[in-house]
Amino acid sequence: MRTNSTLRRVLATGGAALATLAALALTAGCAGSGGAHGGGHDTGAGPSTSATAAGGDHNEADVVFAQGMIPHHRQAVQMAEMAQARAGDPEIKTLAAKIKQAQEPEIRQMSALLTAWSAAVPSASAMPGASAMPGGAHGGHGNTNPMPGMMSGTDMSSLEKIEGAEFDRMFLRMMIEHHEGAVRMATTEQQDGGNAEAKKLATAIVADQNAEIARMRDLLDKR
């Protein structure tokens, strides 16, 4: 009788322990499931919030700025690549590398803004030599908004055919004019734009390209 009583106590104790372990496992599983769901929701909210912030406050001037400045920058990058291969002065090659390094990320930034605004991103075929702003989702701007400082196809072909000191002089004259056009476009964005990120970029373009204009004028004066 004593043995049977002891056995019953052991079995009862073991059953209670198993029940406790099962309850703990169930609780842990529910907590893990809830955590994963919460984490997934937070992750999804991040990009949505960011996209809303970028695409929220903007106006037509912001779209015109980005759609015009992208091909404008692309042409500057193309000219800078020519300079790295054809310039005679190492200082000009260094300046060209700096221009390319600065403007390529700005092209990506403006492309992302246009995408957030559901506006068309200009294709690479919109340059070089284009004299008008590309049309976009906010209405085609057509030929009514020429991009100041944009070189013609003839200008680009002429630059590509020379090298050395002759290239240096032509490149500096063209890039000064090109930068001056970009500064005018960016100044318009500062005045008329509504998007904080686009206006901040415009301010950086004005400061950086004015500094480069001063440097290029100094280099040109030495020739």
Side-chain angles (χ1 to χ4, degrees):
M1 294 295 293
R2 183 180 303 169
T3 299
N4 290 339
S5 176
T6 301
L7 180 59
R8 284 195 297 271
R9 285 197 301 272
V10 170
L11 290 173
T13 303
L18 288 173
T20 301
L21 289 173
L24 288 172
L26 181 60
T27 301
C30 291
S33 175
H37 176 73
H41 178 74
D42 290 343
T43 300
S48 176
T49 302
S50 176
T52 300
D57 296 329
H58 73 282
N59 59 22
E60 181 72 6
D62 297 316
V63 176
V64 170
F65 166 70
Q67 287 183 334
M69 193 64 80
I70 287 172
H72 204 277
H73 269 24
R74 283 176 180 154
Q75 189 177 70
V77 168
Q78 185 180 16
M79 291 166 65
E81 289 172 344
M82 286 187 200
Q84 289 179 291
R86 310 182 76 83
D89 189 335
E91 285 189 77
I92 292 178
K93 290 188 176 186
T94 299
L95 175 64
K98 181 181 176 183
I99 290 171
K100 181 179 177 180
Q101 185 179 18
Q103 296 198 20
E104 285 182 330
E106 291 175 350
I107 291 170
R108 292 192 293 271
Q109 181 182 358
M110 289 183 287
S111 297
L113 284 172
L114 287 171
T115 298
W117 299 335
S118 299
V121 177
S123 66
S125 62
M127 55 70 61
S131 61
M133 199 147 332
H138 286 242
H141 303 296
N143 294 324
T144 60
N145 292 287
M147 291 177 284
M150 199 76 168
M151 297 295 114
S152 69
T154 301
D155 291 332
M156 297 296 287
S157 296
S158 297
L159 186 64
E160 196 171 18
K161 292 175 183 176
I162 57 178
E163 59 185 342
E166 185 181 4
F167 177 95
D168 294 347
R169 289 189 294 271
M170 186 172 184
F171 171 80
L172 290 171
R173 287 193 295 268
M174 286 173 60
M175 191 61 86
I176 288 170
E177 181 180 349
H178 200 273
H179 271 29
E180 288 173 341
V183 168
R184 290 199 296 275
M185 293 165 67
T187 300
T188 299
E189 168 62 15
Q190 287 178 306
Q191 296 169 348
D192 300 338
N195 182 266
E197 184 177 344
K199 294 181 76 168
K200 182 178 180 181
L201 175 59
T203 298
I205 289 172
V206 169
D208 293 345
Q209 297 206 19
N210 272 332
E212 289 171 356
I213 288 169
R215 178 60 185 146
M216 288 188 287
R217 283 176 175 161
D218 182 59
L219 289 170
L220 188 59
D221 287 344
K222 294 176 180 179
R223 286 160 176 75

